Amino acid sequence: CGAVVFRDEAGADGTKHRYVLMIKQSTRSSFSFPKGHVEPGESETETAEREVFEETSVRINITESFRRTVNYSPRPGTKKEVVYFAAMTDISDIRPQEGEIKEVKWVETERAEELLAHSNDKSVLFGAREYFRKKKQ
């Protein structure tokens, strides 16, 4: 389980900018979203909150009404399923998990799609972005 985490920040001109939290794992060359394995006794949302914090040092507020499942095969004979939630935070300070995460950064949502290599990740980002856009209306 993991989360697509957004943060809003006012620009110098007063306009609001929205950023998404992205990670690059030590074993990967492309960016994705924080995620990890469910521990015994954990709920999906508890896992997402813990994994985001472990990988980035960011505490989040999950929106349980946005839940997307992604299935993929990282190599022949291996199938994985990831459940993503949408989340918000007001924390801007980030720190990558030593030894596991190569890079963590806030990216303007308009640029985030360019950094994602997988269509599943792009679809989840688009869905989460649209969810929050519609929620404001």
Side-chain angles (χ1 to χ4, degrees):
C1 297
V4 182
V5 181
F6 297 96
R7 177 179 63 85
D8 292 334
E9 183 177 299
D13 60 357
T15 59
K16 183 180 85 171
H17 296 274
R18 179 157 285 175
Y19 296 87
V20 63
L21 184 62
M22 302 185 75
I23 65 164
K24 186 185 288 186
Q25 294 181 336
S26 298
T27 58
R28 304 269 190 263
S29 61
S30 61
F31 280 89
S32 62
F33 307 112
K35 64 185 178 298
H37 296 284
V38 178
E39 298 288 335
E42 267 185 338
S43 69
E44 291 176 338
T45 56
E46 289 170 334
T47 298
E49 289 171 345
R50 177 182 53 76
E51 287 292 340
V52 169
F53 182 73
E54 286 177 0
E55 293 182 354
T56 68
S57 74
V58 172
R59 297 269 183 212
I60 60 174
N61 297 311
I62 285 184
T63 302
E64 291 187 49
S65 55
F66 178 91
R67 181 185 182 278
R68 297 291 186 276
T69 302
V70 170
N71 293 289
Y72 68 99
S73 178
R75 59 190 160 278
T78 302
K79 294 185 184 205
K80 292 197 174 199
E81 179 179 89
V82 180
V83 174
Y84 284 107
F85 295 95
M88 293 294 294
T89 189
D90 58 0
I91 297 170
S92 59
D93 293 334
I94 50 180
R95 191 173 55 253
Q97 182 179 15
E98 199 171 310
E100 192 168 321
I101 305 300
K102 186 186 317 182
E103 187 177 352
V104 59
K105 64 182 177 177
W106 288 108
V107 179
E108 285 198 75
T109 54
E110 296 78 30
R111 289 199 50 243
E113 189 175 344
E114 301 167 16
L115 299 177
L116 296 169
H118 304 289
S119 59
N120 284 340
D121 287 342
K122 291 177 184 183
S123 176
V124 171
L125 172 64
F126 179 76
R129 190 171 57 204
E130 286 300 298
Y131 171 82
F132 281 121
R133 187 184 65 76
K134 288 178 182 176
K135 193 174 176 186
K136 281 196 309 189
Q137 295 177 353

